[in-house]
């Protein structure tokens, strides 16, 4: 955040994109207690970063409320949800694909941290429900192996989705 100091001093506006509340993220990843020095330091850095920025954007209302409670002025934060633009992804503008004649797989992709809080089990269960309706459906997951990976692999095996 503070690498923008020189541009800010020359009049540039600084936008902070807060996708995750870092203190909570670190606590959940590393099992840290609320009073751990890293968690306290992250809260201070987050507060200072929010104070440094002219505008803050975050992807959902829950995060917005959290940042407001921590020190963010209400007029400085906006929610910009991670969702497709309907002007671009309008099903009416694109002809339907004859799925029975599809030759290529229909690939869904996840890339990121392989942890329970990201709901990967929900994605796997969705594939199990949709694989008959969407020929060639595949879910690709990319990320560093974690302990949760064993849980994911067990669910894939249980639902007999090894090929998907």
């Amino acid at each position: 955040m503070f690498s923008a100091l020189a541009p800010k001093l020359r009049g540039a506006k600084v936008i902070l994109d807060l996708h995750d509340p870092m203190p909570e993220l670190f606590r959940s990843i590393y099992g840290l207690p609320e009073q751990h020095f890293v968690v306290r330091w992250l809260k201070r850095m987050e507060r200072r970063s929010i104070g440094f920025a002219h505008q803050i954007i975050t992807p959902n209302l829950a995060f917005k409320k959290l940042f407001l409670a921590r020190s963010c002025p209400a007029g400085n934060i906006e929610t910009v949800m991670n969702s497709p633009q309907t002007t671009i992804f309008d099903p009416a503008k694109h002809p339907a694909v004859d799925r029975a004649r599809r030759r290529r797989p229909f690939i869904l992709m996840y890339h990121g941290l392989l942890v329970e809080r990201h709901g990967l089990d929900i994605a796997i269960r969705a594939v199990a429900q949709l694989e008959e309706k969407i020929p060639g459906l595949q879910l690709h997951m990319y990320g560093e192996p974690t302990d949760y990976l064993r849980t994911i692999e067990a669910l894939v095996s249980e639902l007999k989705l090894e090929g998907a």
Side-chain angles (χ1 to χ4, degrees), residues 75-141:
N76 290 18
I77 189 164
E78 294 293 330
T79 302
V80 178
M81 295 186 66
N82 293 335
S83 58
Q85 289 183 316
T86 55
T87 56
I88 296 171
F89 297 99
D90 180 359
K93 291 182 180 180
H94 305 283
V97 174
D98 181 356
R99 290 188 170 92
R101 295 175 46 202
R102 176 188 297 272
R103 291 195 175 107
R104 296 180 308 181
F106 186 94
I107 299 173
L108 302 172
M109 186 180 80
Y110 168 85
H111 61 89
L113 194 58
L114 301 172
V115 292
E116 186 174 5
R117 71 175 178 276
H118 288 174
L120 300 173
D121 60 311
I122 296 170
I124 293 167
R125 291 179 196 285
V127 168
Q129 292 179 8
L130 294 171
E131 73 172 335
E132 287 185 23
K133 295 178 183 174
I134 304 174
L137 177 61
Q138 296 178 5
L139 173 60
H140 294 199
M141 289 191 228

Side-chain angles (χ1 to χ4, degrees), residues 150-161:
R150 285 189 281 273
T151 303
I152 292 170
E153 290 170 338
L155 182 60
V156 167
S157 179
E158 174 188 327
L159 297 174
K160 297 179 180 24
L161 292 173

Side-chain angles (χ1 to χ4, degrees), residues 5-22:
L5 179 61
K8 182 177 179 175
L9 291 174
R10 286 184 267 138
K13 301 296 181 196
V14 178
I15 299 172
L16 175 59
D17 185 359
L18 284 173
H19 272 274
D20 288 298
M22 292 307 293

